[in-house]
Amino acid sequence: MLALSPTGRRFGWLAPAIDLVLPPRCPACRVIVDGDDRFCADCFAQLAFITAPVCACCGVPLPHDGGPDTQCGGCLATPPRFTTARSAFIYGGPVRSVVLGLKHGDRQHLAGLMARAMLRAAGGALPADALLVPVPLHRWRLWRRGHNQAATIARALARISGAALAVDALLRVKPTPSTRGLGRTARQRNVVGAFRVRAAEQVKGRDVVLVDDVFTTGATVEACAGVLRRAGARHVHVLTFARAIASSDAKWGGAPPDGEFSDGQG
């Protein structure tokens, strides 16, 4: 078995008994493994870590290393409203299972594993004045689902990093329809006017770290970054567990299937 981030159980002499009754399981396929937050060997082998070279701005993997300041063509042509974006993994395979397990399976303990991977993707530390802000759900979707997966991850990040957390700094004031079958431009139109900042003084002059589970097309985080910058945020850094990469490589599955992120996020 291979560990992404072994944490161990902090139950002292009770640990063996707890492991016997509730053995640790792979966070993706749920087979029994030898420690908490450890992927089994098969799932670990399928993880697609995002490592250098990446775009200095949006964090998309690049085919060649042009240096630490190299940006992708998209960011050069249309600079994003956010300062940087980083993700830990390419979306697909076991990463998809973890994301959906937290989002729809109510496996909220997975947020700790996700947060640790995201912190590593951010270089091991957040800005000194970081303010963690999760991408919000509309209140009706939050009521139906019972939790906002971005807020759950942000809380775990706050515990691990010690950074400040403003879980309600952003509001989704307009319910957005399903993104099923929508391209980037249509998704951008879908989120126009969907977000607002609750109180500008909460984010003014701060280095905001915008937290979400998956960076899909960037339309949602762009819309959030726009309202945060207009409210006075000094920088907006986007941090997600996974990134959907348009690819013909069936191993990773490319972008999420239509409707998989029907809450209008990404």
Side-chain angles (χ1 to χ4, degrees):
M1 306 301 177
L2 296 174
L4 175 63
S5 178
T7 58
R9 294 178 183 263
R10 294 178 172 84
F11 295 105
W13 61 273
L14 285 174
I18 292 173
D19 283 344
L20 182 65
V21 177
L22 297 170
R25 295 181 179 273
C26 172
C29 71
R30 310 295 300 278
V31 302
I32 295 175
V33 293
D34 60 359
D36 284 339
D37 290 352
R38 297 190 179 200
F39 287 90
C40 69
D42 287 344
C43 288
F44 190 92
Q46 298 177 62
L47 295 175
F49 292 83
I50 295 179
T51 57
V54 298
C55 171
C57 182
C58 76
V60 69
L62 298 176
H64 306 290
D65 190 353
D69 298 324
T70 302
Q71 294 188 24
C72 68
C75 288
L76 289 172
T78 309
R81 296 185 181 98
F82 53 78
T83 308
T84 62
R86 294 293 182 267
S87 305
F89 298 102
I90 293 175
Y91 185 84
V95 170
R96 175 181 180 271
S97 298
V98 172
V99 168
L100 297 182
L102 172 65
K103 186 171 186 174
H104 298 301
D106 200 29
R107 298 171 61 201
Q108 296 190 34
H109 64 281
L110 294 175
L113 176 150
M114 298 168 78
R116 284 186 289 275
M118 291 161 66
L119 192 58
R120 283 194 296 274
L126 300 177
D129 190 37
L131 178 67
L132 297 167
V133 175
V135 172
L137 290 178
H138 188 266
R139 62 181 181 276
W140 293 118
R141 184 162 282 116
L142 180 61
W143 179 78
R144 288 196 298 270
R145 184 175 299 167
H147 79 111
N148 175 8
Q149 73 279 0
T152 303
I153 297 169
R155 289 187 181 96
L157 267 170
R159 288 194 300 271
I160 294 167
S161 67
L165 172 65
V167 74
D168 59 351
L170 269 179
L171 301 174
R172 189 183 289 250
V173 295
K174 184 181 81 173
T176 48
S178 170
T179 56
R180 186 187 300 268
L182 298 182
R184 177 177 173 81
T185 302
R187 286 176 185 244
Q188 288 173 330
R189 289 196 297 266
N190 196 42
V191 292
V192 170
F195 303 99
R196 72 172 176 86
V197 172
R198 179 184 292 272
E201 61 270 17
Q202 200 171 16
V203 301
K204 187 174 182 180
R206 300 296 296 271
D207 282 328
V208 172
V209 177
L210 186 64
V211 177
D212 207 355
D213 54 354
V214 180
F215 186 119
T216 309
T217 65
T220 296
V221 295
E222 271 276 279
C224 291
V227 298
L228 286 164
R229 293 299 297 272
R230 287 194 294 274
R234 181 169 54 214
H235 299 292
V236 177
H237 303 279
V238 178
L239 191 56
T240 67
F241 178 64
R243 173 146 187 168
I245 304 293
S247 171
S248 59
D249 187 348
K251 180 177 180 181
W252 306 121
D258 282 351
E260 189 155 293
F261 290 94
S262 58
D263 57 6
Q265 299 204 181

